[in-house]
Amino acid sequence: MAVDIEAEHIAAGIRRATAPIPIGAPGECDNCGEDMPRLVDGLCARCRDGRIPMRPEAMRRAASREPTLRPSLVPISVSAPPAAREAPRRPMVALLDGIANLLAEHIEHAERLAAERDAAIERAETAEATLASIKAALGQ
Ligand SMILES: [Zn+2]
């Protein structure tokens, strides 16, 4: 159903947007050996996203590294005074709360529609079964 697909698409977008963001560092990729401006867990973007197949030893090294993730929504500038750091976040947090509430309502609505659809399908199947048994009883 289009509403379900749309709701899942929006939910996936929010999950991606709120996922922790790797910091990354320049260096030589553990897998392909290219010198790259940004490696995450020792791997370049092409190796991380599968465009270059992973060698088993590079996979093991990447898995054993310390995680380099930082949470999203944390201000990048830590040298600014606390007031300046916190002030811009409040409207953003309020906006994100609003979006989260809208999304929750949207998902709830989609779930309600899906439940109504399932109930309608069940009623239709029951009606078809009843019709079939009536036809059978009438010898048709
Ligand atoms: Zn690479």
Side-chain angles (χ1 to χ4, degrees):
M1 204 171 186
V3 172
D4 298 327
I5 293 167
E6 187 189 348
E8 179 49 40
H9 183 74
I10 291 169
I14 297 275
R15 278 195 301 274
R16 277 195 305 275
T18 55
I21 302 160
I23 295 165
E28 193 176 290
C29 177
D30 273 357
N31 190 53
C32 68
E34 288 284 321
D35 195 38
M36 295 302 220
R38 182 168 175 263
L39 303 175
V40 173
D41 296 330
L43 299 171
C44 72
R46 289 183 302 164
C47 289
R48 289 196 310 277
D49 69 17
R51 281 175 284 172
I52 298 174
M54 284 290 288
R55 293 179 298 120
E57 64 271 23
M59 222 181 283
R60 272 194 300 276
R61 265 201 306 274
S64 67
R65 279 169 180 269
E66 283 294 306
T68 55
L69 298 181
R70 70 177 171 214
S72 59
L73 303 179
V74 170
I76 291 168
S77 166
V78 290
S79 57
R85 226 170 37 227
E86 293 306 316
R89 285 193 67 207
R90 265 181 252 120
M92 183 59 85
V93 168
L95 179 67
L96 288 174
D97 282 347
I99 291 171
N101 287 338
L102 277 175
L103 192 67
E105 280 176 30
H106 191 82
I107 289 170
E108 207 172 280
H109 180 68
E111 286 171 351
R112 221 172 23 247
L113 288 178
E116 287 172 16
R117 179 205 55 208
D118 291 347
I121 289 171
E122 206 176 306
R123 282 197 307 276
E125 286 171 351
T126 304
E128 281 174 350
T130 305
L131 179 63
S133 62
I134 289 170
K135 279 182 177 176
L138 293 175
Q140 289 179 347

